[in-house]
Amino acid sequence: MRAPLSWVREYAELPAGVDGRELAEKLIAAGLEVETVERAGADVKGPLVVGEVLAVEELTGFKKPIRYCQVDVGDANGTGEPQNIVCGATNFAAGDRVVVVLPGGVLPGGFEIGARKTYGKVSEGMICSSSELGIGDDQGGILVLPPDSPVGADAIELLGLRDDVLHIAVTPDRSYALSIRGVAREAATAYGVPFKDPADVKLPGEAGGAYAASIADPTACDRFVLREVRGFDPDAKTPPWMQVRLYRAGMRPVSLAVDVTNYVMLELGQPLHAFDRAKLTGPIVVRRAEPGEKLETLDHVKRTLDPEDILITDESGPISMAGTMGGLATEIDDRSTDMVIEAAHFDAVGTARMSRRHRLHSEASYRFERGVDRELPLYASYRAVQMLAELGGAEILPGVTHAETPVEPVTVTIPADHPDKVAGVTYGRDTVVRRLEQVGCKVEGDETLTVTPPSWRPDLTDPNDLAEEVIRLEGYEAIPSRAPRPTAGKGLTVQQRLRRRVGRALAGAGYVEVLTFPFVSDKDLDG
């Protein structure tokens, strides 16, 4: 998980002076594995500003398109006069707002910009692409900003070019940390500051349903949610701030509709999928695969399905491998206007087996196989359709389809002093309750506590799991270190003495003991 610090700050009120490395130390102390902290844009220097293209002159006599542009940069150059800049890109026109680095500025990689003569003209700076700014890998041309971007504004601040990005290796029991929501919660707890839950929103009263759907196999899925939008503008562009966040978090911006679903997944931890409404046929059903069924997935691979595979289907047959990858036949394209947004809670084991069976791994399967918050589908789908409406001009259809199978909440009974006994440290009941409530647990009782873990912590199923939460938040460094005390006078056990005698006898007979690796495939032993 790649977590930009600026995004984490949106939900955790961290002190102003905290940087990525300091936060990493706090998270490591709390049990998360922060591998590195990337200082993105640390070598970028201004002047780097928003400019408006006033005029474009096409230069001739060259083997490739060359343009001589007049660009208004406000007062950023100290004179208020337009800059004359030579540029080889053709994806912008007069009136567009672009990012301009003026002489003396430095781009990522230590690339210093100066005024120089090229193609027979003096170029007083450079008009930048997203790849040149270090916020994308788009080779298609110049980064064109929204038309309301203020001319002369500092582009470093406007685009968030400088940011600390934490690279977190998320262990299978910490699935909640595969989201900005989860990382921000840990950060807020570590610093003892308020946490704003992005999923804590009031849903509208939603009478009636959206696109019809049902669950045929409750062992495969226990919650399935659909919402619909219409009239989406397929030409709407992903705003630069979203592109930057997606790129910093390790995902390539694609299109506004796809980017919104990826953004919500990174923010909340709930994978989403968008179907083209016009390509669906009849009601949707979540079920296991039937013998002989096939599906061509978004990666253009035709897959023969296994009876244990979890599928999303309509009357035409399979349209998606649930929680892993959608089908090609119902994907949204560059002309899709009406969409069905799907959010669900699929079985973790079933998703993991399907992903491995087909050797098909995705950001969605990575999260589902580790456990996704069962309560998120309603909130994440609502967040997605809101963003499609706000950024893409879509109309949100009233109502929501919500198919579910009731699931009994997990409760764990634990003596209030159990963490004390595990750690050998006296925490006290108040500390135990406070730490468990910080994690999100509901705690009742006095000497014996009845604990209901939050929906985003499916790993908390045992008293020792709860003890670990208390111990890690109180700090592993607070546990005293002392050498173990052996019991005197007993010596080796009967089993130990027997094993040694057998070992000596076999060695005397010419045998050699080999300690083999337990989990290897047959092909590793060949040759």
Side-chain angles (χ1 to χ4, degrees):
M1 176 68 190
R2 295 163 57 99
L5 178 59
S6 61
W7 203 351
V8 173
R9 281 187 176 279
E10 193 167 313
Y11 302 116
E13 297 182 17
L14 302 179
V18 172
D19 63 10
R21 292 177 180 174
E22 183 180 338
L23 176 58
E25 292 178 0
K26 288 280 192 179
L27 294 179
I28 290 171
L32 293 184
E33 298 181 18
V34 183
E35 295 183 322
T36 60
V37 178
E38 176 188 351
R39 307 299 296 271
D43 54 352
V44 175
K45 296 181 182 179
L48 189 67
V49 300
V50 175
E52 179 180 5
V53 180
L54 301 178
V56 177
E57 177 187 352
E58 305 287 347
L59 301 183
T60 60
F62 302 101
K63 294 182 179 180
K64 60 181 181 179
I66 300 296
R67 315 170 91 193
Y68 191 51
C69 309
Q70 276 194 337
V71 185
D72 178 13
V73 295
D75 295 327
N77 57 5
T79 65
E81 295 294 322
Q83 297 290 111
N84 296 306
I85 300 175
V86 175
C87 182
T90 60
N91 68 313
F92 65 96
D96 284 342
R97 303 288 168 94
V98 294
V99 178
V100 178
V101 56
L102 302 179
V106 179
L107 293 177
F111 182 43
E112 187 171 351
I113 302 299
R116 63 189 182 94
K117 189 172 183 178
T118 180
Y119 297 103
K121 301 286 187 179
V122 175
S123 184
E124 303 169 326
M126 176 177 168
I127 304 175
C128 303
S129 68
S130 59
S131 59
E132 290 162 340
L133 294 170
I135 54 174
D137 54 10
D138 182 16
Q139 303 297 324
I142 294 306
L143 174 63
V144 178
L145 300 175
D148 59 351
S149 301
V151 174
D154 182 1
I156 297 176
E157 182 70 23
L158 181 69
L159 297 176
L161 298 185
R162 294 197 190 107
D163 206 349
D164 289 352
V165 182
L166 283 70
H167 295 232
I168 305 173
V170 180
T171 53
D173 63 329
R174 301 283 182 195
S175 59
Y176 66 93
L178 288 169
S179 66
I180 298 299
R181 179 197 189 203
V183 175
R185 187 189 304 277
E186 287 289 339
T189 301
Y191 282 92
V193 297
F195 167 69
K196 177 185 176 183
D197 190 347
D200 186 15
V201 296
K202 184 178 180 180
L203 298 175
E206 298 171 308
Y211 198 92
S214 62
I215 300 172
D217 188 342
T219 67
C221 175
D222 58 40
R223 175 163 281 169
F224 193 79
V225 173
L226 297 177
R227 297 181 189 273
E228 285 192 70
V229 296
R230 291 184 183 173
F232 174 78
D233 180 6
D235 294 323
K237 303 298 182 183
T238 302
W241 62 266
M242 182 180 288
Q243 292 187 45
V244 172
R245 282 189 169 178
L246 289 172
Y247 186 75
R248 292 276 191 251
M251 302 198 76
R252 180 176 61 88
V254 179
S255 65
L256 179 57
V258 174
D259 292 347
V260 164
T261 59
N262 286 335
Y263 185 87
V264 174
M265 178 186 68
L266 291 169
E267 182 179 66
L268 300 181
Q270 171 68 53
L272 301 170
H273 187 72
F275 295 101
D276 188 320
R277 175 65 174 78
K279 298 177 182 178
L280 294 174
T281 306
I284 286 176
V285 178
V286 183
R287 59 172 173 80
R288 303 278 181 174
E290 296 176 357
E293 284 190 306
K294 295 183 178 181
L295 173 67
E296 184 174 1
T297 45
L298 292 175
D299 56 358
H300 298 273
V301 176
K302 295 182 179 179
R303 303 179 185 276
T304 300
L305 302 173
D306 185 274
E308 290 299 314
D309 288 344
I310 304 172
L311 303 179
I312 300 174
T313 68
D314 66 4
E315 289 181 356
S316 68
I319 58 175
S320 178
M321 296 176 69
T324 304
M325 185 172 288
L328 191 63
T330 55
E331 72 166 336
I332 56 173
D333 54 36
D334 57 3
R335 302 319 304 163
S336 297
T337 59
D338 300 344
M339 303 177 194
V340 177
I341 304 301
E342 169 257 311
H345 185 255
F346 299 113
D347 176 61
V349 174
T351 305
R353 288 177 175 171
M354 180 170 64
S355 174
R356 286 158 176 75
R357 186 182 299 119
H358 293 275
R359 297 182 180 180
L360 180 61
H361 303 280
S362 64
E363 290 287 341
S365 67
Y366 187 70
R367 285 163 173 79
F368 274 120
E369 66 188 38
R370 283 160 175 77
V372 172
D373 183 352
R374 186 180 180 272
E375 299 301 320
L376 275 179
L378 284 167
Y379 299 95
S381 58
Y382 180 62
R383 170 86 161 131
V385 296
Q386 279 188 312
M387 297 184 79
L388 291 172
E390 179 183 347
L391 302 175
E395 174 193 359
I396 303 174
L397 270 64
V400 58
T401 298
H402 181 196
E404 69 169 331
T405 299
V407 175
E408 288 295 324
V410 174
T411 59
V412 183
T413 301
I414 175 176
D417 62 350
H418 182 65
D420 303 20
K421 294 178 179 178
V422 172
V425 176
T426 301
Y427 295 121
R429 179 190 178 279
D430 291 345
T431 297
V432 170
V433 172
R434 176 171 59 86
R435 289 303 191 183
L436 292 178
E437 288 179 341
Q438 282 182 328
V439 171
C441 296
K442 179 182 178 182
V443 184
E444 299 175 328
D446 191 7
E447 295 301 321
T448 299
L449 305 178
T450 300
V451 182
T452 304
S455 55
W456 58 85
R457 294 300 304 271
D459 58 303
L460 301 182
T461 59
D462 184 87
N464 286 335
D465 296 332
L466 302 178
E468 180 186 5
E469 294 302 300
V470 175
I471 295 167
R472 74 177 182 88
L473 294 179
E474 282 296 298
Y476 293 114
E477 70 280 359
I479 301 176
S481 176
R482 61 174 181 261
R485 300 174 183 177
T487 303
K490 291 189 176 181
L492 298 177
T493 65
V494 174
Q495 289 79 8
Q496 289 171 329
R497 291 196 296 269
L498 177 60
R499 189 182 189 282
R500 293 192 180 190
R501 286 200 302 270
V502 172
R504 285 194 294 267
L506 291 173
Y511 289 92
V512 177
E513 182 177 10
V514 177
L515 299 178
T516 60
F517 294 103
F519 300 109
V520 295
S521 64
D522 292 341
K523 66 180 180 179
D524 292 329
L525 303 178
D526 294 339

